[in-house]
C-alpha cells in the first residue's frame, strides 16, 4: 500500500467543490497559506487543523481517508472491519510516542452515530487547540487512564470511568500516564 497523499486528496476535494485555496481557508477559518502548504506537501496538518479545513468542505475525516469504502448494512463487525481513521496521519519517522489510533465501527453517516475504539499511547494528545464541534459525545475508559478537559474542568479518568458532554464545549484528550489508554466512545452526529 502506498502512502496516502494528504495534499493531493485535499486539492482534489477542493477542486471538486469549485473552491479556491483562499475560499477554503476563509470557510475553514485557517490562514490561506496553510491550505497552500498542505496541498503542495510542504506542511503536514495536525488532526485539529485538518478537521477544521475539512469542515469548510463539509467532509468528514472518514470520507477524506476512505473515499471508496462501500456502505455496509451488516450489523456485526470483526476487529479487522473497523475503519482506521487516524493511522495515516502519522509518519513512521515520528515514532510511536504520542500516537493515537481511532477505529470506527461501520458507517457512521448512515446511522448518524459514530462509535470509536480509541487507543492513546503514553504522551498522546489531541492538541493544545481544543476540539469543539456540533453534537454530543460520551465514552468509557476500558484500560489505562486518560486526562479529559471539558471547558474549564479537567479530570483524569481511569478504567471504568466515563464521560458525556455537549461537544460544543472545548475539549481535549491526553494520556499523561506511562501506559496505553483505551476508550470506547460515541458521538452524534458523527464528527470525524
Amino acid at each position: 500500500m502506498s502512502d496516502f497523499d494528504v495534499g493531493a486528496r485535499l486539492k482534489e476535494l477542493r477542486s471538486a467543490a469549485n473552491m479556491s485555496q483562499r475560499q477554503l481557508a476563509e470557510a475553514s477559518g485557517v490562514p490561506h497559506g496553510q491550505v497552500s502548504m498542505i496541498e503542495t506537501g510542504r506542511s503536514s496538518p495536525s488532526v485539529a487543523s485538518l478537521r477544521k479545513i475539512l469542515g469548510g468542505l463539509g467532509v468528514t475525516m472518514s470520507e477524506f481517508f476512505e473515499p471508496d469504502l462501500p456502505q455496509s448494512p451488516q450489523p456485526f463487525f470483526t476487529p479487522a472491519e473497523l475503519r482506521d481513521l487516524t493511522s495515516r496521519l502519522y509518519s513512521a519517522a515520528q515514532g510511536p510516542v504520542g500516537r493515537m489510533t481511532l477505529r470506527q465501527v461501520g458507517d457512521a453517516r448512515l446511522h448518524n452515530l459514530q462509535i470509536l475504539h480509541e487507543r492513546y499511547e503514553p504522551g498522546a494528545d489531541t492538541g493544545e487547540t481544543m476540539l469543539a464541534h456540533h453534537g454530543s459525545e460520551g465514552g468509557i475508559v476500558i484500560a489505562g487512564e486518560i486526562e479529559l478537559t471539558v471547558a474549564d474542568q479537567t479530570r483524569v479518568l481511569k478504567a471504568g470511568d466515563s464521560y458525556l458532554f455537549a461537544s460544543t464545549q472545548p475539549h481535549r484528550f491526553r494520556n499523561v500516564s506511562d501506559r496505553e489508554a483505551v476508550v470506547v466512545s460515541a458521538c452524534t452526529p458523527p464528527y470525524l
Side-chain angles (χ1 to χ4, degrees):
M1 177 187 280
S2 63
D3 289 337
F4 189 86
D5 189 334
V6 172
R9 176 71 173 142
L10 181 60
K11 185 175 183 178
E12 171 191 331
L13 291 173
R14 179 183 57 76
S15 297
N18 293 318
M19 295 177 85
S20 68
Q21 289 178 344
R22 187 170 304 282
Q23 288 171 323
L24 176 55
E26 289 173 6
S28 305
V30 300
H32 167 256
Q34 186 174 14
V35 174
S36 175
M37 297 281 284
I38 293 167
E39 286 188 0
T40 58
R42 293 178 296 182
S43 174
S44 182
S46 68
V47 173
S49 294
L50 185 58
R51 281 184 185 138
K52 269 181 103 169
I53 293 168
L54 294 181
L57 288 169
V59 173
T60 66
M61 293 282 271
S62 179
E63 292 167 328
F64 184 79
F65 286 107
E66 305 288 352
D68 300 323
L69 283 182
Q71 291 188 354
S72 53
Q74 85 260 17
F76 306 109
F77 301 88
T78 66
E81 293 172 315
L82 298 182
R83 295 181 185 180
D84 188 343
L85 300 184
T86 58
S87 64
R88 294 178 179 169
L89 295 174
Y90 300 92
S91 71
Q94 290 176 307
V97 175
R99 184 181 174 108
M100 64 187 106
T101 303
L102 306 177
R103 294 171 26 119
Q104 176 179 286
V105 176
D107 187 334
R109 290 204 129 189
L110 181 65
H111 299 282
N112 200 33
L113 175 64
Q114 186 167 55
I115 301 172
L116 297 174
H117 184 263
E118 307 176 26
R119 292 184 175 274
Y120 297 84
E121 292 185 5
D125 187 342
T126 57
E128 289 183 29
T129 302
M130 303 264 276
L131 304 171
H133 51 91
H134 175 71
S136 297
E137 62 187 271
I140 299 173
V141 178
I142 303 302
E145 53 189 52
I146 194 92
E147 180 189 85
L148 173 58
T149 300
V150 179
D152 61 353
Q153 299 179 54
T154 299
R155 180 174 291 176
V156 174
L157 302 173
K158 299 179 185 211
D161 291 340
S162 54
Y163 60 90
L164 178 65
F165 59 91
S167 304
T168 52
Q169 297 181 79
H171 52 283
R172 176 183 188 182
F173 295 86
R174 294 191 322 151
N175 183 349
V176 295
S177 76
D178 61 356
R179 59 189 175 118
E180 181 182 68
V182 179
V183 177
V184 173
S185 70
C187 182
T188 185
Y191 173 54
L192 295 174

